[in-house]
Amino acid sequence: MKFLARPPRYLFFTGKGGVGKTSIACAAAIHLADAGHRVLLVSTDPASNVGQVFGLAIGNRIVPIAAVPGLSALEIDPQAAAQAYRDRIVGPVRGVLPEAVVRGIEEQLSGACTTEIAAFDEFTALLTDSAETAAFDHIVFDTAPTGHTIRLLQLPGAWSGFLESGSGNASCLGPLAGLEKQRTQYKAAVEALADPGRTRLILVARAQAATLREVARTHEELAGIGLAHQHLVINGVLPASLVEDDPLALAIVERERAALAAIPLKLRDLPRDSLPLKAFNLVGLPALRAFFGAGSAGAGQAEQGGEPPLAAPALADLAERIAVDGHGLVMLMGKGGVGKTTLAAALAVELASRGLPVHLTTSDPAAHLEETLSGAIENLTVSRIDPHAETERYRQQVLASKGAALDEAGRALLEEDLRSPCTEEIAVFQAFSRVIREAGNKFVVMDTAPTGHTLLLLDATGAYHREVARQMAPGLHYSTPMMQLQDPARTKVLLVTLAETTPVLEAASLQADLRRAGIEPWAWIINNSVAAAQPRSALLKLRARNEWVEIAAVADRHARRYALVPLQKREPVGLAGLRALCHPDRGNA
């Protein structure tokens, strides 16, 4: 395995939910410990299941893994870290500054930026050779800091003025408040990340075109800020030898071969490893120690017992209920790589096929709606919000208005503020607000950006709503985008996930965040379900059986209503392929 050859001290595993980065990070940590190294495994994943993998409680402290000599683990809780971070910043000024100013500071610290910065704050010490970690030869991180977080920390300007002014415009400077004392330590941490002698970034992906596009974007973003020493791991590749007499398995093998043959150019020169799909759940030491083996042990277990009855709603059932309204905003949200773009296109095509006017749009920089549709249909229009163009438009607008009255120093600080990554989110929000006005007389189906970006967009929505409410005279009628998102009669939010542990946990976390913003998700969509596709091969049958635990969790605990979309034999591209997602009997044979 190239990614474990001559490993540096720090190994970071990063990738979208459901690609297997936690399993690979745990297996890598065990592999290094078994080779005689002293290893600390650290999770910064909000949906961390490292403790579940090892079968013991870990939490926010270093815990030795007794069954693996030399291995210890630590789970950083980003939400708890964010709350502690907020308390540390707001506590000293509560009762000192006016209450309105304190509320403004708390608002600035309520978003996803703060959670990212707080998590980085927690593991900074782990990257700067603290006494706490001096005894370890290697530190293995499950989930790396995002390029978004690192760009925030690289902003060079005066952060400390935020508390005195109680403002920060609508950018990231709020979460950066009060960090002046840590800047030296943060700089050392970012330098450690960029040093190939100390750090290796391992990008984890699946052999799927959409997932590979996502990881290519991650690679480019991280390389662009100096984190260029990267390896690529393609996880879960179905071995051709295990196809048996299964048309679905054969179709998966052929599709994965095609995806790898067309791998994005940005990824082709990276050192690459490929790990075969396993039939067993990657929980417990025996499974983790077997993970890097060549076999697929456990496939035979699929023959034991009968198959659970399949009685889950289909995507067509959701489309039928949406169509009754005649118009409205339909937003698909979820982590990258779960199939939001394809499902948004499928719903748009289904609604347009019923004679309803539909505008399909995306704010996801990685979306490829035209390629997904690959054709035109009556009643359907398609657009894309270009983040780069919208950001430049917003920058010029702010510089021309707020910047006009500033002196040279003030304008320089404003320009720095506008270079922060959150500026893009605010700019996209403005374009998003223009589009959703159309939902009063047609369907607007929106494929949103990945979850972290979406939450930042919604933070901007909330701030805009509160500002309008403050400025309006009592008794006057007004409407804001946030009010539309909160109104179930006007907006239906659909959360997209996979029937796997991490994607379901991540979707549940997103649902909790949306509820805190007063937005109640209307339905969940479980995409690419092997169980719903009724496979024949022993390996896929066992994986199908494992899915039912997660499907039951969605149906019984998380969702008010849901739909199950089977894994397709053919790539769901083009109008026929998209229609097959709503009506599998028409195109999945």
Side-chain angles (χ1 to χ4, degrees):
M1 291 171 292
K2 299 183 184 72
F3 72 94
L4 286 179
R6 297 182 298 280
R9 186 164 192 234
Y10 305 116
L11 295 169
F12 279 92
F13 292 85
T14 188
K16 298 300 180 183
V19 296
K21 63 181 181 297
T22 295
S23 300
I24 296 175
C26 291
I30 292 169
H31 177 85
L32 292 171
D34 286 347
H37 300 282
R38 296 164 299 175
V39 182
L40 175 62
L41 173 63
V42 180
S43 175
T44 62
D45 191 334
S48 175
N49 59 345
V50 168
Q52 178 185 352
V53 167
F54 284 106
L56 76 163
I58 296 174
N60 193 25
R61 68 201 189 287
I62 294 177
V63 175
I65 306 298
V68 185
L71 177 62
S72 297
L74 165 69
E75 287 180 325
I76 294 173
D77 181 345
Q79 297 302 329
Q83 186 56 53
Y85 186 77
R86 283 190 289 269
D87 293 342
R88 190 167 72 244
I89 293 176
V90 178
V93 299
R94 196 181 299 280
V96 177
L97 295 179
E99 185 59 31
V101 173
V102 173
R103 281 199 303 270
I105 295 171
E106 289 176 331
E107 181 179 303
Q108 286 280 343
L109 298 174
S110 65
C113 277
T114 299
T115 303
E116 291 181 4
I117 293 294
F120 189 87
D121 191 46
E122 284 283 305
F123 71 70
T124 294
L126 304 176
L127 287 168
T128 50
D129 298 318
S130 70
E132 186 180 26
T133 60
F136 296 101
D137 302 312
H138 301 285
I139 303 179
V140 176
F141 290 88
D142 168 29
T143 300
T146 65
H148 179 282
T149 302
I150 295 167
R151 291 204 311 279
L152 287 179
L153 296 168
Q154 290 175 329
L155 288 175
W159 300 334
S160 57
F162 173 84
L163 289 178
E164 285 75 18
S165 65
S167 66
N169 295 316
S171 80
C172 300
L173 295 189
L176 290 170
L179 296 186
E180 200 72 36
K181 293 178 182 177
Q182 291 118 298
R183 291 187 71 178
T184 301
Q185 188 171 343
Y186 276 31
K187 184 173 184 290
V190 172
E191 287 174 351
L193 285 170
D195 181 357
R198 289 186 283 171
T199 298
R200 180 173 298 166
L201 285 165
I202 297 102
L203 307 174
V204 183
R206 291 282 180 91
Q208 301 162 351
T211 307
L212 290 169
R213 284 197 299 268
E214 288 280 350
V215 84
R217 188 168 133 212
T218 300
H219 159 70
E220 190 172 32
E221 182 180 31
L222 293 172
I225 52 178
L227 280 64
H229 196 65
Q230 303 174 16
H231 284 237
L232 177 63
V233 174
I234 308 295
N235 189 34
V237 179
L238 180 60
S241 59
L242 299 178
V243 165
E244 302 177 34
D245 183 24
D246 186 348
L248 176 64
L250 178 60
I252 291 172
V253 167
E254 292 175 346
R255 188 189 305 176
E256 289 181 342
R257 283 174 177 166
L260 292 175
I263 193 168
L265 289 173
K266 300 178 183 71
L267 301 178
R268 290 187 181 181
D269 293 334
L270 294 181
R272 188 199 309 180
D273 289 285
S274 180
L275 298 174
L277 185 68
K278 303 294 184 182
F280 50 83
N281 272 331
L282 290 162
V283 176
L285 288 175
L288 290 168
R289 282 197 165 110
F291 186 34
F292 292 151
S296 295
Q301 299 173 26
E303 303 301 334
Q304 299 174 6
E307 293 301 313
L310 185 67
L315 187 61
D317 298 327
L318 295 185
E320 180 74 33
R321 299 184 68 168
I322 292 170
V324 170
D325 294 338
H327 63 85
L329 175 63
V330 180
M331 294 183 71
L332 285 87
M333 297 187 183
K335 284 287 187 183
V338 296
K340 295 186 306 296
T341 300
T342 300
L343 290 172
L347 283 171
V349 167
E350 177 67 16
L351 293 170
S353 298
R354 295 167 180 259
L356 298 164
V358 182
H359 180 177
L360 172 63
T361 187
T362 182
S363 63
D364 187 344
H368 297 267
L369 283 179
E370 292 81 4
E371 294 175 20
T372 302
L373 284 166
S374 189
I377 182 175
E378 192 175 355
N379 303 315
L380 178 63
T381 58
V382 180
S383 70
R384 176 176 177 268
I385 296 171
D386 183 337
H388 297 296
E390 297 298 337
T391 300
E392 185 55 30
R393 180 185 304 175
Y394 176 76
R395 286 184 69 258
Q396 294 305 322
Q397 173 190 327
V398 173
L399 288 171
S401 55
K402 292 187 177 181
L406 296 176
D407 59 19
E408 185 176 346
R411 188 175 176 88
L413 185 58
L414 177 61
E415 288 181 342
E416 180 192 333
D417 192 355
L418 292 170
R419 288 198 300 273
S420 77
C422 284
T423 297
E424 180 179 302
E425 307 301 332
I426 298 164
V428 168
F429 164 67
Q430 287 195 342
F432 161 81
S433 300
R434 293 193 296 270
V435 170
I436 66 175
R437 295 190 192 111
E438 299 179 22
N441 55 25
K442 65 174 65 172
F443 279 109
V444 174
V445 179
M446 188 163 195
D447 162 38
T448 65
T451 301
H453 289 217
T454 301
L455 289 176
L456 291 170
L457 181 149
L458 292 173
D459 285 343
T461 308
Y464 175 83
H465 169 82
R466 288 185 286 274
E467 184 62 27
V468 170
R470 280 194 292 267
Q471 293 179 4
M472 293 297 293
L476 288 180
H477 174 76
Y478 64 93
S479 179
T480 68
M482 188 59 147
M483 293 167 68
Q484 179 166 347
L485 295 179
Q486 292 171 331
D487 185 351
R490 301 163 68 192
T491 299
K492 288 180 170 60
V493 172
L494 281 60
L495 301 184
V496 182
T497 188
L498 304 175
E500 299 174 15
T501 303
T502 301
V504 169
L505 288 172
E506 288 173 338
S509 176
L510 171 57
Q511 177 163 266
D513 285 325
L514 291 170
R515 284 173 171 167
R516 281 193 289 273
I519 300 168
E520 180 62 34
W522 184 75
W524 286 44
I525 303 174
I526 304 171
N527 194 28
N528 287 338
S529 169
V530 176
Q534 300 178 332
R536 297 180 194 171
S537 78
L539 187 150
L540 291 184
K541 285 173 75 174
L542 184 56
R543 290 192 65 82
R545 178 174 293 279
N546 293 335
E547 283 189 356
W548 279 100
V549 175
E550 304 306 329
I551 294 170
V554 171
D556 299 338
R557 296 202 304 273
H558 299 307
R560 299 173 60 192
R561 59 182 65 83
Y562 77 104
L564 189 64
V565 178
L567 179 64
Q568 304 290 296
K569 293 187 182 73
R570 290 183 287 275
E571 192 75 24
V573 172
L575 297 178
L578 293 170
R579 289 189 176 107
L581 292 173
C582 280
H583 307 280
D585 54 313
R586 298 182 189 176
N588 198 33

